Amino acid sequence: MAEFSAQQHDLKALGALGALLGAKSEIEKGMSTLSRLTRQLEEEWETEARFVGEVSDAFDLLDVLLAAAQGKKG
C-alpha cells in the first residue's frame, strides 16, 4: 500500500494494488483450506479417542474374565 500511495500517478501502482488483491485471495483460500484440514484432524482425533476407549474397555473386561477364571481354578 505504501508503494501505491507513493506512486499514485504511476501505472505501476495499479499493478501493486492488483498484486495485493491477488495475495488477499490466496490468503483467503489458504485459510479456508487450513480450516477444513483442522476440522478433519479433529474428527480423526475423536475417532481415535473412541477406539482407544474401546480397547481400554476390552482390556478391563479381559482382566475381569481372567480373574474369574483364576477364581474357578483355585
Side-chain angles (χ1 to χ4, degrees):
M1 288 304 289
E3 181 182 344
F4 182 75
S5 296
Q7 300 178 12
Q8 289 181 6
H9 302 290
D10 190 343
L11 291 179
K12 290 182 185 177
L14 295 176
L17 182 59
L20 289 173
L21 292 174
K24 179 183 176 279
S25 175
E26 289 301 313
I27 290 170
E28 287 173 346
K29 288 178 188 175
M31 293 300 288
S32 176
T33 300
L34 184 59
S35 176
R36 183 176 38 65
L37 292 174
T38 300
R39 210 172 317 118
Q40 290 173 346
L41 186 58
E42 287 175 348
E43 290 171 3
E44 184 177 332
W45 284 345
E46 287 176 13
T47 301
E48 289 177 5
R50 270 194 306 274
F51 176 72
V52 168
E54 291 171 2
V55 169
S56 177
D57 292 345
F59 277 113
D60 289 344
L61 179 58
L62 181 59
D63 286 341
V64 169
L65 293 175
L66 288 174
Q70 289 294 328
K72 287 182 182 181
K73 283 185 176 181

